[in-house]
Amino acid sequence: MKTKAIILSILFFTSALLMAQRSGIKGGANFSNLYVNDVSDENMKIGLNLGLWHQAANEAFQAELNYSNKGAEIIYDGALGSGKYRYNLNYLEMPLQFVGHVGDFNLHVGPYLGFLVGVNVKDVDSDGSVNGVAQLDRDDFNTIDYGLSGGAAIEFDASQIGLRYNYGLREIGKSGSFAGEAASNAKNSVFQLYVALDF
């Protein structure tokens, strides 16, 4: 099932590239957090987003292929005890955006599909020392993420500056795993500030 989803995503992105009127690169900052149950505190984490975008000939549809660094720093208090973890989750994502133009602005909304390519979870002690968490690795997390995204951008002749919000609809931790228990029902939540340049 996962292989089919990856193949279909690549085919879709390739077809979008072939019919593109405008193409370019984009990059900026992620301001990410997790929606988490049974957590006493959560803190925003700053990461990176970087990728390619292709807009259809009628400028009403845009496909992207992005690297996106997400996660959060959370203080948990549950069945496994209490503590603080710093989650660094790295995704390869494909947002598919429907675009509307209002003067020099564009508004965009649509779904995204993400593939988890790397995980780095740290345990931060009260004295500030950082340790790796052996119990948490990529196998403890769902490798496919999906959700909804939307935002707005101001357009210039060959560039854009935009702000987008991505709301994850799938839990990051696998059910029954240590990650599933430590971050019960956690889902990705990310604000992205970016600059997009035309090729």
Side-chain angles (χ1 to χ4, degrees):
M1 181 66 179
K2 292 178 184 176
T3 304
K4 288 181 181 178
I6 293 171
I7 291 171
L8 287 174
S9 299
I10 292 170
L11 289 174
F12 185 85
F13 187 76
T14 303
S15 65
L17 173 61
L18 293 174
M19 68 176 189
Q21 174 181 333
R22 296 176 62 193
S23 299
I25 58 173
K26 63 190 298 281
N30 280 353
F31 302 91
S32 63
N33 222 323
L34 297 172
Y35 285 118
V36 186
N37 294 340
D38 303 323
V39 173
S40 59
D41 190 22
E42 53 186 312
N43 297 297
M44 181 181 66
K45 175 185 166 304
I46 299 176
L48 173 72
N49 66 77
L50 183 65
L52 302 170
W53 62 273
H54 305 284
Q55 199 168 88
N58 60 6
E59 297 188 357
F61 179 78
Q62 182 168 305
E64 301 177 12
L65 181 63
N66 300 323
Y67 165 83
S68 187
N69 176 245
K70 301 182 179 182
E73 185 177 273
I74 65 172
I75 298 171
Y76 68 90
D77 188 9
L80 298 174
S82 60
K84 180 165 67 173
Y85 290 119
R86 185 177 298 148
Y87 288 81
N88 296 292
L89 308 173
N90 303 309
Y91 290 90
L92 187 63
E93 291 185 339
M94 293 187 61
L96 307 174
Q97 303 289 294
F98 297 94
V99 183
H101 297 271
V102 181
D104 291 334
F105 289 88
N106 76 55
L107 305 176
H108 48 271
V109 64
Y112 76 83
L113 178 65
F115 303 96
L116 184 65
V117 294
V119 172
N120 184 348
V121 181
K122 300 291 186 181
D123 180 11
V124 183
D125 293 340
S126 57
D127 63 0
S129 59
V130 179
N131 309 298
V133 180
Q135 302 99 315
L136 288 172
D137 59 26
R138 187 173 177 272
D139 293 336
D140 294 307
F141 293 84
N142 287 315
T143 55
I144 294 180
D145 185 35
Y146 52 84
L148 302 173
S149 63
I154 183 168
E155 298 182 342
F156 303 97
D157 288 339
S159 63
Q160 302 176 33
I161 299 174
L163 179 66
R164 180 181 296 171
Y165 176 67
N166 292 344
Y167 178 68
L169 297 175
R170 188 172 197 201
E171 295 178 22
I172 62 168
K174 287 183 180 175
S175 178
S177 71
F178 186 81
E181 291 295 324
S184 177
N185 297 317
K187 299 174 184 176
N188 286 307
S189 171
V190 183
F191 281 98
Q192 294 182 323
L193 181 64
Y194 65 87
V195 174
L197 302 174
D198 291 17
F199 282 146

